[in-house]
């Protein structure tokens, strides 16, 4: 005698399948938004360019009216340590940031913060960590270079602050980091995620934006190669760290270092020439920074490098039709043992002419009965497409019916109810002809 309180008498809870998930690297984050489509990055790029062009025209007009005596001819040929020229050169690049954010806000993917990292936001603590790491690498490499130069007989260079030094210092602190962030959002953000929307391997997202980034800098071949090395390094760490923070830190420290050295007379801001030896220093700095960031990511488990999304559930198999949705001939069967044909291609319960098959047959409760295959008995192998008389319907008529239709010309639609159990093992290996019903 069993009792309701006995453990074996309690119904077991239904087993829930774990949700299906997928992990996405930074360059594939467009797939995190199920509403995003393949063509949207193209329209996003057009919006970005249109907004950038409009903002640039307004910005330059304002600067021309504000300081007409300071702007004359080619900006690149003017003294770039002039605070006004310095602000125009770096501030015009900053306009790429609101342009990219507005374009992403219009078309997605959502949320907007996916443009910055896999977490959907800027990771400020990680950004500060990478900034300190970049400062350490630049200080170390430059100290070694100065030491080698002094050891080779060189003389220390006296520092000569440029006119308007403190204005330049303010621009260095507030404008240059924004300029670097804007370039990273466009080249390592928008472009990388656009390529990653179509191409899965990260090498495409890392390398394809490099030529566009290089062409945006007016240097000679050695300067272009140096910029290309840096672009590849920033693309790698963006992919590896799951966001733009490490690349923004490297870019900002590089531009701030070069600008600061020019402000004290150690370099020339207007010089666009380089030398083969520059590639050595650039490779050491960027290689050392990449190695340090990789080490920091391994040590800091809280830095997410991928974004996990939940995939929609797989489509469920068709359910046993309600009584009112069954063909009238079978709806009249009150025993609950009427056989239903399950189409193996669509998993829908159908009533089909017997010259087609084989069909998996289940009873009114969805239990497996057997295979129904009467093709040989009705001459289907000879090309005869004439349906035999169906019990309960008038005989003597020959009706040609397409495969997958019921005697009334329509398939029985699925409806809510219990999900039919899976076919029994060896279901397709049973005898090819089914002639009876089980007794329930």
């Amino acid at each position: 005698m069993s009792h309701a309180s006995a453990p074996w008498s309690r119904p077991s809870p239904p087993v829930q399948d774990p949700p299906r998930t997928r992990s996405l690297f930074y360059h594939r984050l467009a797939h995190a938004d199920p509403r995003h489509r393949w063509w949207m990055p193209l329209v996003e790029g057009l919006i970005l360019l249109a907004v950038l062009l409009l903002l640039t025209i307004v910005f330059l007009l304002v600067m021309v009216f504000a300081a007409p005596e300071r702007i004359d001819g080619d900006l690149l040929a003017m003294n770039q340590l002039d605070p006004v020229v310095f602000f125009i050169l770096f501030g015009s690049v900053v306009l790429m940031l609101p342009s990219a954010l507005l374009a992403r806000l219009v078309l997605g993917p959502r949320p907007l913060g996916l443009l910055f990292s896999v977490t959907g936001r800027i990771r400020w603590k990680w950004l500060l960590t990478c900034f300190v790491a970049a400062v350490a690498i630049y200080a170390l490499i430059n100290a070694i270079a100065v030491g080698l130069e002094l050891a080779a007989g060189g003389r220390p260079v006296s520092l000569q602050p440029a006119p308007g030094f403190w204005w330049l210092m303010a621009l260095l602190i507030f404008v240059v980091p924004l300029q670097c962030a804007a370039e990273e959002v466009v080249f390592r953000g928008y472009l990388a995620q656009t390529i990653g929307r179509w191409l899965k391997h990260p090498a495409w997202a890392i390398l394809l934006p490099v030529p566009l980034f290089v062409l945006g800098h007016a240097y000679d071949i050695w300067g272009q190669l140096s910029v290309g090395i840096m672009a590849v390094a920033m693309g790698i760490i963006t992919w590896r760290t799951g966001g733009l923070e490490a690349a923004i830190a490297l870019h900002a420290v590089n531009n701030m270092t070069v600008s600061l050295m020019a402000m004290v007379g150690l370099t020339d801001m207007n010089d666009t020439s380089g030398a083969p030896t520059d590639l050595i220093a650039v490779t050491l700095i960027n290689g050392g920074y990449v190695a340090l960031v990789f080490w920091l990511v391994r040590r800091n488990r809280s830095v997410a490098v991928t974004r996990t999304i939940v995939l929609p559930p797989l489509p469920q198999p068709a359910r046993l039709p309600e009584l009112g949705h069954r063909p009238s001939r079978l709806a009249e069967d009150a025993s609950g043992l009427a056989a239903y044909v399950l189409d193996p291609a669509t998993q829908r319960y159908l009533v089909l002419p017997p010259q087609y098959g084989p069909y998996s047959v289940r009873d009114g409760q969805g239990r497996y009965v057997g295979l129904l295959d009467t093709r040989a008995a009705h001459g289907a192998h000879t090309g005869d497409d004439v349906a035999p008389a169906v019990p309960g319907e008038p005989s003597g008529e020959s009706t040609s019916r397409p495969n997958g239709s019921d005697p009334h010309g329509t398939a029985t639609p699925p409806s809510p109810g219990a999900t039919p159990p899976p076919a029994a093992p060896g279901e397709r290996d049973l005898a090819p002809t089914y002639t009876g019903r089980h007794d329930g």
Side-chain angles (χ1 to χ4, degrees):
M1 180 176 181
S2 61
H3 300 278
S5 60
W8 56 83
S9 64
R10 297 173 184 170
S12 58
V15 178
Q16 296 286 343
D17 292 332
R20 299 185 306 130
T21 60
R22 181 183 179 187
S23 295
L24 300 173
F25 284 94
Y26 175 81
H27 68 293
R28 300 283 286 173
L29 286 182
H31 294 272
D33 186 352
R35 296 171 296 179
H36 199 260
R37 299 296 179 263
W38 68 267
W39 51 267
M40 288 184 174
L42 299 175
V43 182
E44 180 184 358
L46 294 177
I47 297 174
L48 191 159
L49 292 175
V51 175
L52 177 60
L53 178 60
L54 178 62
L55 292 180
T56 302
I57 294 174
V58 173
F59 176 76
L60 293 178
L61 289 176
V62 171
M63 295 306 301
V64 167
F65 282 104
E69 71 283 355
R70 310 290 286 274
I71 303 174
D72 182 18
D74 186 6
L75 287 173
L76 297 179
M78 297 175 63
N79 180 17
Q80 297 184 21
L81 286 180
D82 184 316
V84 175
V85 177
F86 189 96
F87 176 71
I88 293 175
L89 289 176
F90 286 89
S92 60
V93 179
V94 174
L95 300 177
M96 297 169 63
L97 182 58
S99 302
L101 293 177
L102 180 60
R104 178 59 61 93
L105 188 62
V106 172
L107 283 180
R110 300 287 191 272
L112 178 64
L114 292 181
L115 191 57
F116 295 105
S117 77
V118 295
T119 62
R121 58 181 177 83
I122 299 177
R123 299 169 292 186
W124 294 104
K125 183 179 179 180
W126 174 239
L127 176 61
L128 179 60
T129 301
C130 293
F131 187 86
V132 173
V135 169
I137 291 292
Y138 269 80
L140 176 62
I141 300 300
N142 282 283
I144 293 175
V146 171
L148 292 175
E149 184 175 353
L150 293 177
R155 295 181 179 180
V157 179
S158 60
L159 304 181
Q160 299 178 354
F165 176 82
W166 293 111
W167 283 109
L168 292 172
M169 183 60 70
L171 295 174
L172 180 75
I173 295 174
F174 295 105
V175 178
V176 173
L178 288 176
Q179 171 258 327
C180 298
E183 290 191 7
E184 292 309 304
V185 164
V186 172
F187 290 98
R188 253 66 61 184
Y190 162 71
L191 286 179
Q193 290 186 354
T194 296
I195 296 169
R197 180 66 176 82
W198 306 320
L199 302 174
K200 184 176 181 180
H201 199 281
W204 299 110
I206 293 171
L207 297 177
L208 289 183
V210 170
L212 293 176
F213 184 72
V214 169
L215 292 175
H217 297 76
Y219 299 137
D220 65 357
I221 182 61
W222 303 114
Q224 299 277 13
L225 289 175
S226 299
V227 172
I229 292 173
M230 186 176 177
V232 172
M234 292 187 294
I236 292 173
I237 57 179
T238 296
W239 163 76
R240 181 63 182 87
T241 62
L244 297 176
E245 297 91 351
I248 292 174
L250 175 61
H251 199 161
V253 171
N254 176 82
N255 286 15
M256 294 174 76
T257 300
V258 173
S259 299
L260 182 60
M261 292 175 67
M263 289 161 52
V264 295
L266 296 179
T267 61
D268 184 3
M269 283 280 288
N270 290 79
D271 187 12
T272 59
S273 62
T277 54
D278 295 341
L279 300 181
I280 300 176
V282 171
T283 302
L284 289 175
I285 289 175
N286 288 275
Y289 180 74
V290 169
L292 181 57
V293 167
F294 274 43
W295 179 78
L296 290 172
V297 168
R298 287 195 298 267
R299 291 289 302 271
N300 191 353
R301 298 290 183 179
S302 64
V303 179
V305 298
T306 59
R307 184 179 183 89
T308 301
I309 62 172
V310 178
L311 299 175
L314 293 172
Q316 297 296 321
R319 304 181 179 188
L320 195 66
E322 296 289 348
L323 187 65
H325 294 159
R326 302 174 189 173
S328 57
R329 181 174 57 85
L330 296 178
E332 295 172 356
D333 189 307
S335 66
L337 301 179
Y340 289 82
V341 177
L342 183 68
D343 187 340
T346 63
Q347 293 295 301
R348 293 165 66 101
Y349 285 94
L350 308 170
V351 181
L352 302 173
Q355 70 265 33
Y356 301 103
Y359 302 114
S360 173
V361 181
R362 298 179 186 271
D363 64 14
Q365 280 71 43
R367 295 171 295 190
Y368 175 70
V369 176
L371 285 182
L372 176 63
D373 189 358
T374 57
R375 292 175 296 177
H378 292 85
H381 64 288
T382 61
D384 186 4
D385 194 33
V386 178
V390 180
E393 293 183 355
S395 61
E397 278 185 294
S398 295
T399 307
S400 177
R401 303 185 181 101
N403 190 7
S405 62
D406 62 30
H408 304 285
T410 58
T412 303
S415 60
T419 302
E427 175 173 323
R428 293 187 177 277
D429 297 327
L430 300 178
T433 304
Y434 165 72
T435 57
R437 307 172 182 167
H438 65 67
D439 56 7

